[in-house]
Amino acid sequence: MSLLSESEIFDEDSLFVMLTCGRTPLPSFLIRSALIFALSALGLGSVSAEPKHGIAMLGEPTLQANFTNMPYVNPNAPKGGRIGYGVVGTFDNLNPFILKSMRTTARGAVDPAFGNLIFEPLMVRSADEPFTLYGLLADSIDTDDARTYAEFQINPNAKWSDGVKVTPEDVIFTFETFTSKGRPPYSKRMDKIAKIEKTGERGVRFTFNEKADREFPLIIAMTPIIPKHASSATFDEPSLEPAIGSGPYIVDKVEPGTRITFKRNPNYWGKDLPVKKGFDNFDSISVDYFKDENSQFEAFKKGLFDVYPEGDPAKWDSNYGFPAVTNGAVKKETFLAGTPSNMFAFVFNTRQKVFADRKVRTALSMLYDFEWTNKNLFADKYSRLGSFWQNSELSSLGKQASEAEKALLQPFADRLLPAVMDGTWKPSATDGSGRDRGVMLKAVLLLKDAGYVIKGQQMVGPEGKPLAFEILCANSSEEKLALVYQRTLAKVGIEAEVRTVDDAQYQQRRQVWDYDMVLASYSASLSPGIEQVGRWGSSSRDGQGTFNYAGVAEPSIDAVIAAIGKAKSRNEFVDDVRALDRLLISGQYVVPLHYLPDQWLASWTRVQHPDKTP
């Protein structure tokens, strides 16, 4: 199964297993809340509230201004030692903010899996709250009830790793540089900013334009900051030179394409902050890169790195009988995710003509035999996905659309399936035999409505061309699923070529939309927001480096995403997200696959985590 893309930085839609150094993820992202009270003076409009230590998307931060540490860490965790991680892939670049080589960037500088080791944002998320931020580089935030601006005060103790103080000028420089030389989503942030200005010795104020929404101040606060004095004119070129950052670690050693080692900065300025107590405890962190999952797992068995997230039930049951497990040196643990299940799916690239018709996409979705696959490959351990926010109040499955949803979706009624609106829609199911003729017949009849017929042994379209496409895979696990799908498609005359390529080629092709179908994992959270634009918004369809793998450009989806960003109450927010879920399901942009109710992690017992997880 694919890991979340390392370039989807700060979209930490993950369950976090809190290791004593910080984080070893498996995702969790955002929820909203208003941080200020509104005050109208003489009818002249809203007035600024007092600066605060935190901000939430909806409501108020849970932790008070005098909190001492995050509730899910051990603030007295011992310091020292090392931890190692293993990932599949390679790298030729240490700069995570540029488009060139973005898919082969070394992980760790700023990363949803390993934390903000090198670069830090103004404020940091709490993994215990859906979308709440507390001060890091900035010790306070001030905004109005309408969130037309956000003003941050830089912590007077904040320093770069070379000892230079962090300043408002660094913040301004960051946004200017990302706009001219950065990759999405960083390069797009200025689109919603009218101006940035220094206010006083430590203050920096963002004034937003009409494109901004209630979430945007939090997005600004989560943007990693880079140093003005230590950034070169060739910022937009790939580089293996270690960067100056404000984070708790500095780059110690780089072995191009193979390993990067970080060492804890003994002079880290923020080690006593409440948001940092109990984190960043290892003296050394290494990230090793492997060609494929097999070599990665073999290295874990030998103790070459310390933690291994597992997502394959068959492997979880059968691959952990090696000596280190039997003698207790490696432990297997199950964690309950408090977030929606990620959408793991085959994704149709609707930029390709073969997938332009929703009827064709629907028929192809019906031909994925989950029941046979789950029984024969995964010992019936998986459950079937259907919603983009499965197992949460945000899911539309089994729920009739509310009056508020109907009102929001009324202009787009032609884009919605009636069964999705009334809550009766479910993914197609087979009898598990691997040859359910009833389901195949329904798919063939739907394809007939789209102008396709079977001639000889081939499904042929209106223009006389066979229905054929390529499934691009990144590893053997994806290939295994694709081959099963290929077999079912072939039974009705559809030709699906399965092509597995190395990581560099895969990422390059996916970046420029050079594929028919890929597998992707869309991280899910209890507070979806701006990241949905990058996945489904019209503005992200054509630009390189976005996550709109399906090539979606629908005014209906744009409108509902915009509504999500403007929601002021939890009920309104839930209605808006369910409306988006209904549009995405109705659009048949993906073939939903499966999910695990739990998160599985194997780790060497030399590494420990707190008893409480967020």
Side-chain angles (χ1 to χ4, degrees), residues 505-545:
Q505 183 180 354
Y506 177 82
Q507 301 297 357
Q508 195 278 331
R509 286 187 60 180
R510 194 166 72 168
Q511 181 177 327
V512 298
W513 322 126
D514 181 20
Y515 56 84
D516 298 327
M517 175 180 280
V518 292
L519 281 91
S521 181
Y522 297 95
S523 55
S525 77
L526 291 172
S527 53
I530 196 173
E531 81 286 354
Q532 301 302 314
V533 176
R535 299 175 183 184
W536 312 108
S538 298
S539 62
S540 65
R541 181 183 186 274
D542 298 321
Q544 293 185 20

Side-chain angles (χ1 to χ4, degrees), residues 276-309:
K276 280 298 184 176
K277 286 183 180 178
F279 293 98
D280 314 316
N281 301 310
F282 291 102
D283 287 341
S284 175
I285 298 174
S286 62
V287 183
D288 286 285
Y289 291 75
F290 298 93
K291 182 179 179 180
D292 53 44
E293 291 176 336
N294 288 334
S295 57
Q296 179 193 24
F297 186 66
E298 289 302 314
F300 172 71
K301 287 167 60 176
K302 296 174 183 177
L304 299 184
F305 63 93
D306 297 292
V307 293
Y308 192 88

Side-chain angles (χ1 to χ4, degrees), residues 120 137 150 174 202 237 311 365 380 384 422 435 439 490 527 530:
E120 296 180 312
L137 285 178
T174 294
R202 298 192 292 120
E237 294 296 327
S365 295
D380 280 329
R384 183 71 191 272
D422 65 26
R435 52 183 182 277
V439 171
S527 53
I530 196 173

Side-chain angles (χ1 to χ4, degrees), residues 231-279:
S231 297
S232 71
T234 58
F235 175 84
D236 55 344
E237 294 296 327
S239 173
L240 290 174
E241 287 297 316
I244 300 291
S246 65
Y249 288 84
I250 57 179
V251 174
D252 184 36
K253 187 177 181 181
V254 178
E255 301 171 49
T258 302
R259 170 184 285 187
I260 181 169
T261 305
F262 304 88
K263 66 178 180 180
R264 186 152 56 93
N265 181 0
N267 300 315
Y268 173 51
W269 72 274
K271 61 181 182 297
D272 295 322
L273 291 177
V275 295
K276 280 298 184 176
K277 286 183 180 178
F279 293 98

Side-chain angles (χ1 to χ4, degrees), residues 87-307:
V87 298
V88 174
T90 185
F91 69 93
D92 60 6
N93 176 36
L94 295 183
N95 186 343
F97 306 119
I98 61 173
L99 186 59
K100 294 179 181 179
S101 297
M102 61 174 285
R103 300 300 188 175
T104 55
T105 299
R107 298 178 65 174
V110 51
D111 194 277
F114 311 130
N116 308 321
L117 300 183
I118 303 296
F119 299 103
E120 296 180 312
L122 295 168
M123 306 185 81
V124 65
R125 292 190 57 194
S126 167
D128 225 23
E129 301 171 64
F131 196 9
T132 297
L133 309 180
Y134 297 98
L136 184 55
L137 285 178
D139 56 18
S140 71
I141 180 174
D142 173 27
T143 185
D144 59 351
D145 60 301
R147 296 192 177 177
T148 61
Y149 75 91
E151 184 169 330
F152 302 89
Q153 294 296 317
I154 304 299
N155 190 308
N157 298 315
K159 293 181 180 179
W160 302 106
S161 57
D162 60 0
V164 176
K165 280 199 168 189
V166 178
T167 66
E169 286 83 358
D170 291 317
V171 178
I172 296 170
F173 171 81
T174 294
F175 282 84
E176 291 175 345
T177 302
F178 286 174
T179 300
S180 62
K181 297 182 178 182
R183 66 168 181 82
Y186 305 115
S187 60
K188 301 297 184 181
R189 303 244 157 114
M190 284 298 291
D191 291 351
K192 299 180 180 181
I193 299 171
K195 63 179 178 179
I196 312 175
E197 55 192 329
K198 181 179 179 180
T199 54
E201 183 181 355
R202 298 192 292 120
V204 58
R205 182 183 178 102
F206 293 80
T207 302
F208 307 126
N209 60 32
E210 70 284 352
K211 296 179 182 179
D213 55 26
R214 295 185 57 77
E215 182 189 26
F216 197 58
L218 286 80
I219 300 302
I220 295 300
M222 291 194 302
T223 302
I225 304 302
I226 60 174
K228 180 177 182 179
H229 73 281
S231 297
S232 71
T234 58
F235 175 84
D236 55 344
E237 294 296 327
S239 173
L240 290 174
E241 287 297 316
I244 300 291
S246 65
Y249 288 84
I250 57 179
V251 174
D252 184 36
K253 187 177 181 181
V254 178
E255 301 171 49
T258 302
R259 170 184 285 187
I260 181 169
T261 305
F262 304 88
K263 66 178 180 180
R264 186 152 56 93
N265 181 0
N267 300 315
Y268 173 51
W269 72 274
K271 61 181 182 297
D272 295 322
L273 291 177
V275 295
K276 280 298 184 176
K277 286 183 180 178
F279 293 98
D280 314 316
N281 301 310
F282 291 102
D283 287 341
S284 175
I285 298 174
S286 62
V287 183
D288 286 285
Y289 291 75
F290 298 93
K291 182 179 179 180
D292 53 44
E293 291 176 336
N294 288 334
S295 57
Q296 179 193 24
F297 186 66
E298 289 302 314
F300 172 71
K301 287 167 60 176
K302 296 174 183 177
L304 299 184
F305 63 93
D306 297 292
V307 293

Side-chain angles (χ1 to χ4, degrees), residues 313-389:
K315 292 180 180 178
W316 189 247
D317 286 344
S318 62
N319 284 16
Y320 290 83
F322 53 93
V325 175
T326 56
N327 67 24
V330 167
K331 58 184 175 182
K332 297 169 65 180
E333 294 182 277
T334 298
F335 297 88
L336 296 176
T339 56
S341 299
N342 294 338
M343 170 56 77
F344 180 53
F346 288 109
V347 182
F348 299 107
N349 184 0
T350 62
R351 302 172 185 85
Q352 307 290 18
K353 188 175 181 180
V354 65
F355 296 140
D357 191 328
R358 182 172 70 173
K359 289 181 181 179
V360 172
R361 301 195 300 269
T362 302
L364 293 173
S365 295
M366 293 171 65
L367 292 169
Y368 175 70
D369 195 339
F370 165 76
E371 286 70 25
W372 186 94
T373 304
N374 196 33
K375 179 175 64 176
N376 290 277
L377 298 186
F378 304 119
D380 280 329
K381 292 291 181 67
Y382 281 123
S383 297
R384 183 71 191 272
L385 273 167
S387 166
F388 288 80
W389 288 274

